[in-house]
Every structure is written in C-alpha cells, then in structure tokens.
mmCIF file of all heavy atoms in Angstrom:
data_model
loop_
_atom_site.group_PDB
_atom_site.id
_atom_site.type_symbol
_atom_site.label_atom_id
_atom_site.label_comp_id
_atom_site.label_asym_id
_atom_site.label_seq_id
_atom_site.Cartn_x
_atom_site.Cartn_y
_atom_site.Cartn_z
ATOM 1 N N GLU A 1 0.832 -1.218 0.013
ATOM 2 C CA GLU A 1 0.019 0.017 0.014
ATOM 3 C C GLU A 1 0.816 1.224 -0.002
ATOM 4 O O GLU A 1 0.400 2.276 -0.552
ATOM 5 C CB GLU A 1 -0.921 0.065 1.256
ATOM 6 C CG GLU A 1 -2.005 -0.964 1.207
ATOM 7 C CD GLU A 1 -2.927 -0.815 2.423
ATOM 8 O OE1 GLU A 1 -2.827 0.147 3.274
ATOM 9 O OE2 GLU A 1 -3.820 -1.706 2.624
ATOM 10 N N LEU A 2 1.960 1.282 0.653
ATOM 11 C CA LEU A 2 2.768 2.484 0.864
ATOM 12 C C LEU A 2 4.177 2.405 0.398
ATOM 13 O O LEU A 2 5.018 3.359 0.613
ATOM 14 C CB LEU A 2 2.712 2.800 2.376
ATOM 15 C CG LEU A 2 1.345 3.098 2.980
ATOM 16 C CD1 LEU A 2 1.364 3.108 4.506
ATOM 17 C CD2 LEU A 2 0.777 4.357 2.413
ATOM 18 N N GLU A 3 4.628 1.254 -0.249
ATOM 19 C CA GLU A 3 5.963 1.116 -0.716
ATOM 20 C C GLU A 3 7.018 1.422 0.369
ATOM 21 O O GLU A 3 8.007 2.093 0.090
ATOM 22 C CB GLU A 3 6.219 1.924 -2.008
ATOM 23 C CG GLU A 3 5.333 1.611 -3.178
ATOM 24 C CD GLU A 3 5.589 2.400 -4.423
ATOM 25 O OE1 GLU A 3 6.629 3.098 -4.461
ATOM 26 O OE2 GLU A 3 4.825 2.301 -5.310
ATOM 27 N N THR A 4 6.756 0.918 1.512
ATOM 28 C CA THR A 4 7.586 1.219 2.750
ATOM 29 C C THR A 4 7.783 -0.040 3.543
ATOM 30 O O THR A 4 6.815 -0.807 3.781
ATOM 31 C CB THR A 4 6.964 2.300 3.569
ATOM 32 O OG1 THR A 4 6.782 3.466 2.824
ATOM 33 C CG2 THR A 4 7.716 2.610 4.837
ATOM 34 N N ARG A 5 9.042 -0.226 3.959
ATOM 35 C CA ARG A 5 9.357 -1.381 4.838
ATOM 36 C C ARG A 5 9.304 -0.944 6.216
ATOM 37 O O ARG A 5 9.904 0.106 6.624
ATOM 38 C CB ARG A 5 10.787 -1.927 4.450
ATOM 39 C CG ARG A 5 11.074 -3.300 5.044
ATOM 40 C CD ARG A 5 12.349 -3.907 4.310
ATOM 41 N NE ARG A 5 13.544 -3.197 4.539
ATOM 42 C CZ ARG A 5 14.310 -3.316 5.566
ATOM 43 N NH1 ARG A 5 14.012 -4.232 6.579
ATOM 44 N NH2 ARG A 5 15.467 -2.568 5.726
ATOM 45 N N ILE A 6 8.609 -1.651 7.075
ATOM 46 C CA ILE A 6 8.436 -1.240 8.468
ATOM 47 C C ILE A 6 8.906 -2.403 9.383
ATOM 48 O O ILE A 6 9.052 -3.580 8.958
ATOM 49 C CB ILE A 6 6.929 -1.043 8.798
ATOM 50 C CG1 ILE A 6 6.050 -2.231 8.519
ATOM 51 C CG2 ILE A 6 6.479 0.215 8.084
ATOM 52 C CD1 ILE A 6 4.646 -2.168 9.085
ATOM 53 N N SER A 7 9.201 -2.055 10.640
ATOM 54 C CA SER A 7 9.384 -3.040 11.652
ATOM 55 C C SER A 7 8.082 -3.083 12.453
ATOM 56 O O SER A 7 7.498 -2.030 12.737
ATOM 57 C CB SER A 7 10.507 -2.710 12.536
ATOM 58 O OG SER A 7 10.291 -1.513 13.305
ATOM 59 N N VAL A 8 7.560 -4.257 12.682
ATOM 60 C CA VAL A 8 6.323 -4.429 13.414
ATOM 61 C C VAL A 8 6.588 -4.743 14.862
ATOM 62 O O VAL A 8 7.263 -5.788 15.099
ATOM 63 C CB VAL A 8 5.439 -5.528 12.725
ATOM 64 C CG1 VAL A 8 4.100 -5.641 13.499
ATOM 65 C CG2 VAL A 8 5.213 -5.222 11.304
ATOM 66 N N GLY A 9 6.192 -3.952 15.738
ATOM 67 C CA GLY A 9 6.506 -4.134 17.169
ATOM 68 C C GLY A 9 5.346 -4.794 17.956
ATOM 69 O O GLY A 9 4.736 -5.646 17.403
ATOM 70 N N ASP A 10 5.125 -4.315 19.125
ATOM 71 C CA ASP A 10 4.193 -4.916 20.044
ATOM 72 C C ASP A 10 2.719 -4.661 19.597
ATOM 73 O O ASP A 10 2.395 -3.646 19.036
ATOM 74 C CB ASP A 10 4.378 -4.284 21.473
ATOM 75 C CG ASP A 10 5.713 -4.722 22.126
ATOM 76 O OD1 ASP A 10 6.283 -5.736 21.702
ATOM 77 O OD2 ASP A 10 6.137 -3.927 22.968
ATOM 78 N N LEU A 11 1.935 -5.677 19.944
ATOM 79 C CA LEU A 11 0.461 -5.524 19.777
ATOM 80 C C LEU A 11 -0.059 -4.553 20.744
ATOM 81 O O LEU A 11 0.255 -4.638 21.962
ATOM 82 C CB LEU A 11 -0.197 -6.927 19.993
ATOM 83 C CG LEU A 11 -1.701 -6.933 19.928
ATOM 84 C CD1 LEU A 11 -2.192 -6.739 18.435
ATOM 85 C CD2 LEU A 11 -2.222 -8.295 20.463
ATOM 86 N N ILE A 12 -0.759 -3.597 20.301
ATOM 87 C CA ILE A 12 -1.420 -2.586 21.212
ATOM 88 C C ILE A 12 -2.717 -3.155 21.745
ATOM 89 O O ILE A 12 -3.007 -3.187 22.910
ATOM 90 C CB ILE A 12 -1.711 -1.249 20.464
ATOM 91 C CG1 ILE A 12 -0.374 -0.676 19.884
ATOM 92 C CG2 ILE A 12 -2.396 -0.226 21.368
ATOM 93 C CD1 ILE A 12 -0.588 0.510 19.003
ATOM 94 N N GLU A 13 -3.511 -3.644 20.774
ATOM 95 C CA GLU A 13 -4.872 -4.110 21.134
ATOM 96 C C GLU A 13 -5.465 -4.803 19.895
ATOM 97 O O GLU A 13 -5.143 -4.523 18.797
ATOM 98 C CB GLU A 13 -5.760 -3.008 21.538
ATOM 99 C CG GLU A 13 -7.133 -3.372 21.936
ATOM 100 C CD GLU A 13 -7.958 -2.147 22.489
ATOM 101 O OE1 GLU A 13 -7.500 -1.536 23.426
ATOM 102 O OE2 GLU A 13 -8.951 -1.830 21.894
ATOM 103 N N THR A 14 -6.383 -5.752 20.142
ATOM 104 C CA THR A 14 -7.167 -6.291 19.103
ATOM 105 C C THR A 14 -8.585 -5.657 19.219
ATOM 106 O O THR A 14 -9.227 -5.839 20.186
ATOM 107 C CB THR A 14 -7.304 -7.808 19.200
ATOM 108 O OG1 THR A 14 -5.980 -8.357 19.025
ATOM 109 C CG2 THR A 14 -8.170 -8.380 18.059
ATOM 110 N N VAL A 15 -8.919 -4.867 18.219
ATOM 111 C CA VAL A 15 -10.192 -4.172 18.230
ATOM 112 C C VAL A 15 -11.255 -5.123 17.638
ATOM 113 O O VAL A 15 -11.021 -5.708 16.590
ATOM 114 C CB VAL A 15 -10.110 -2.877 17.336
ATOM 115 C CG1 VAL A 15 -11.531 -2.298 17.218
ATOM 116 C CG2 VAL A 15 -9.142 -1.916 17.931
ATOM 117 N N GLU A 16 -12.352 -5.327 18.332
ATOM 118 C CA GLU A 16 -13.483 -6.092 17.816
ATOM 119 C C GLU A 16 -14.621 -5.086 17.598
ATOM 120 O O GLU A 16 -14.997 -4.393 18.507
ATOM 121 C CB GLU A 16 -13.920 -7.115 18.853
ATOM 122 C CG GLU A 16 -12.791 -8.118 19.303
ATOM 123 C CD GLU A 16 -12.472 -9.128 18.224
ATOM 124 O OE1 GLU A 16 -13.273 -9.293 17.225
ATOM 125 O OE2 GLU A 16 -11.370 -9.718 18.271
ATOM 126 N N TYR A 17 -15.109 -5.061 16.339
ATOM 127 C CA TYR A 17 -16.098 -4.024 16.045
ATOM 128 C C TYR A 17 -17.157 -4.634 15.068
ATOM 129 O O TYR A 17 -16.822 -5.238 14.070
ATOM 130 C CB TYR A 17 -15.501 -2.765 15.363
ATOM 131 C CG TYR A 17 -16.476 -1.667 15.222
ATOM 132 C CD1 TYR A 17 -16.710 -0.803 16.309
ATOM 133 C CD2 TYR A 17 -17.177 -1.500 14.078
ATOM 134 C CE1 TYR A 17 -17.628 0.259 16.210
ATOM 135 C CE2 TYR A 17 -18.133 -0.431 13.997
ATOM 136 C CZ TYR A 17 -18.330 0.407 15.076
ATOM 137 O OH TYR A 17 -19.233 1.417 14.951
ATOM 138 N N ASP A 18 -18.383 -4.423 15.367
ATOM 139 C CA ASP A 18 -19.534 -4.867 14.533
ATOM 140 C C ASP A 18 -19.990 -3.718 13.608
ATOM 141 O O ASP A 18 -20.606 -2.799 14.033
ATOM 142 C CB ASP A 18 -20.696 -5.359 15.356
ATOM 143 C CG ASP A 18 -20.489 -6.609 15.975
ATOM 144 O OD1 ASP A 18 -19.737 -7.517 15.438
ATOM 145 O OD2 ASP A 18 -21.016 -6.863 17.124
ATOM 146 N N TYR A 19 -19.590 -3.896 12.270
ATOM 147 C CA TYR A 19 -20.185 -2.983 11.245
ATOM 148 C C TYR A 19 -21.527 -3.706 10.897
ATOM 149 O O TYR A 19 -21.873 -4.777 11.219
ATOM 150 C CB TYR A 19 -19.261 -2.961 10.044
ATOM 151 C CG TYR A 19 -18.058 -2.038 10.278
ATOM 152 C CD1 TYR A 19 -16.849 -2.563 10.632
ATOM 153 C CD2 TYR A 19 -18.166 -0.686 10.048
ATOM 154 C CE1 TYR A 19 -15.724 -1.699 10.774
ATOM 155 C CE2 TYR A 19 -17.129 0.139 10.267
ATOM 156 C CZ TYR A 19 -15.921 -0.350 10.629
ATOM 157 O OH TYR A 19 -14.828 0.521 10.795
ATOM 158 N N PRO A 20 -22.392 -2.951 10.121
ATOM 159 C CA PRO A 20 -23.738 -3.483 9.808
ATOM 160 C C PRO A 20 -23.627 -4.843 9.055
ATOM 161 O O PRO A 20 -24.493 -5.732 9.352
ATOM 162 C CB PRO A 20 -24.367 -2.464 8.867
ATOM 163 C CG PRO A 20 -23.698 -1.198 9.327
ATOM 164 C CD PRO A 20 -22.293 -1.560 9.673
ATOM 165 N N ASN A 21 -22.653 -5.058 8.208
ATOM 166 C CA ASN A 21 -22.634 -6.275 7.379
ATOM 167 C C ASN A 21 -21.584 -7.269 7.757
ATOM 168 O O ASN A 21 -21.441 -8.325 7.131
ATOM 169 C CB ASN A 21 -22.528 -5.930 5.858
ATOM 170 C CG ASN A 21 -23.617 -5.059 5.426
ATOM 171 O OD1 ASN A 21 -24.813 -5.241 5.834
ATOM 172 N ND2 ASN A 21 -23.336 -4.093 4.543
ATOM 173 N N PHE A 22 -20.691 -6.961 8.710
ATOM 174 C CA PHE A 22 -19.660 -7.877 9.075
ATOM 175 C C PHE A 22 -19.086 -7.495 10.438
ATOM 176 O O PHE A 22 -19.251 -6.384 10.908
ATOM 177 C CB PHE A 22 -18.559 -7.894 8.017
ATOM 178 C CG PHE A 22 -17.806 -6.571 7.811
ATOM 179 C CD1 PHE A 22 -16.640 -6.276 8.513
ATOM 180 C CD2 PHE A 22 -18.310 -5.641 6.979
ATOM 181 C CE1 PHE A 22 -16.018 -5.048 8.394
ATOM 182 C CE2 PHE A 22 -17.694 -4.417 6.727
ATOM 183 C CZ PHE A 22 -16.497 -4.124 7.484
ATOM 184 N N HIS A 23 -18.318 -8.502 11.044
ATOM 185 C CA HIS A 23 -17.646 -8.262 12.301
ATOM 186 C C HIS A 23 -16.180 -8.101 11.966
ATOM 187 O O HIS A 23 -15.583 -8.967 11.172
ATOM 188 C CB HIS A 23 -17.807 -9.441 13.250
ATOM 189 C CG HIS A 23 -16.999 -9.210 14.477
ATOM 190 N ND1 HIS A 23 -17.429 -8.447 15.561
ATOM 191 C CD2 HIS A 23 -15.764 -9.692 14.843
ATOM 192 C CE1 HIS A 23 -16.447 -8.473 16.530
ATOM 193 N NE2 HIS A 23 -15.473 -9.229 16.067
ATOM 194 N N LEU A 24 -15.548 -7.012 12.401
ATOM 195 C CA LEU A 24 -14.155 -6.798 12.143
ATOM 196 C C LEU A 24 -13.334 -7.105 13.396
ATOM 197 O O LEU A 24 -13.607 -6.639 14.470
ATOM 198 C CB LEU A 24 -13.892 -5.311 11.772
ATOM 199 C CG LEU A 24 -12.437 -4.960 11.380
ATOM 200 C CD1 LEU A 24 -12.153 -5.555 9.959
ATOM 201 C CD2 LEU A 24 -12.228 -3.523 11.427
ATOM 202 N N SER A 25 -12.259 -7.891 13.186
ATOM 203 C CA SER A 25 -11.284 -8.240 14.251
ATOM 204 C C SER A 25 -9.993 -7.601 13.732
ATOM 205 O O SER A 25 -9.475 -8.109 12.728
ATOM 206 C CB SER A 25 -11.166 -9.691 14.480
ATOM 207 O OG SER A 25 -10.223 -9.947 15.481
ATOM 208 N N MET A 26 -9.389 -6.546 14.383
ATOM 209 C CA MET A 26 -8.291 -5.849 13.925
ATOM 210 C C MET A 26 -7.168 -5.796 14.929
ATOM 211 O O MET A 26 -7.309 -5.205 16.026
ATOM 212 C CB MET A 26 -8.704 -4.381 13.537
ATOM 213 C CG MET A 26 -7.596 -3.451 13.024
ATOM 214 S SD MET A 26 -8.259 -1.957 12.299
ATOM 215 C CE MET A 26 -8.864 -1.148 13.816
ATOM 216 N N ASP A 27 -6.078 -6.520 14.645
ATOM 217 C CA ASP A 27 -4.901 -6.465 15.428
ATOM 218 C C ASP A 27 -4.054 -5.194 15.113
ATOM 219 O O ASP A 27 -3.692 -4.990 13.960
ATOM 220 C CB ASP A 27 -3.991 -7.667 15.208
ATOM 221 C CG ASP A 27 -4.603 -8.995 15.629
ATOM 222 O OD1 ASP A 27 -5.572 -8.932 16.388
ATOM 223 O OD2 ASP A 27 -4.194 -10.079 15.157
ATOM 224 N N CYS A 28 -3.872 -4.311 16.125
ATOM 225 C CA CYS A 28 -3.224 -3.069 15.938
ATOM 226 C C CYS A 28 -1.835 -3.116 16.548
ATOM 227 O O CYS A 28 -1.674 -3.394 17.755
ATOM 228 C CB CYS A 28 -3.952 -1.922 16.599
ATOM 229 S SG CYS A 28 -5.662 -1.769 15.919
#
C-alpha cells in the first residue's frame, strides 16, 4: 500500500467491532 518497509512491534490491542454487514477483528 505504501511502498515502505516497516518493523512491526508490540500488539497494542485487538479491536473487535460490529459493522452492519460484518464483524471486524483488527490487530493493531
């Protein structure tokens, strides 16, 4: 998406959110 190499560190939180048509589970 961004043509950038990153280092991925610690998990902040897993967000659980219900949109009208689907449930989103997002690891941040």
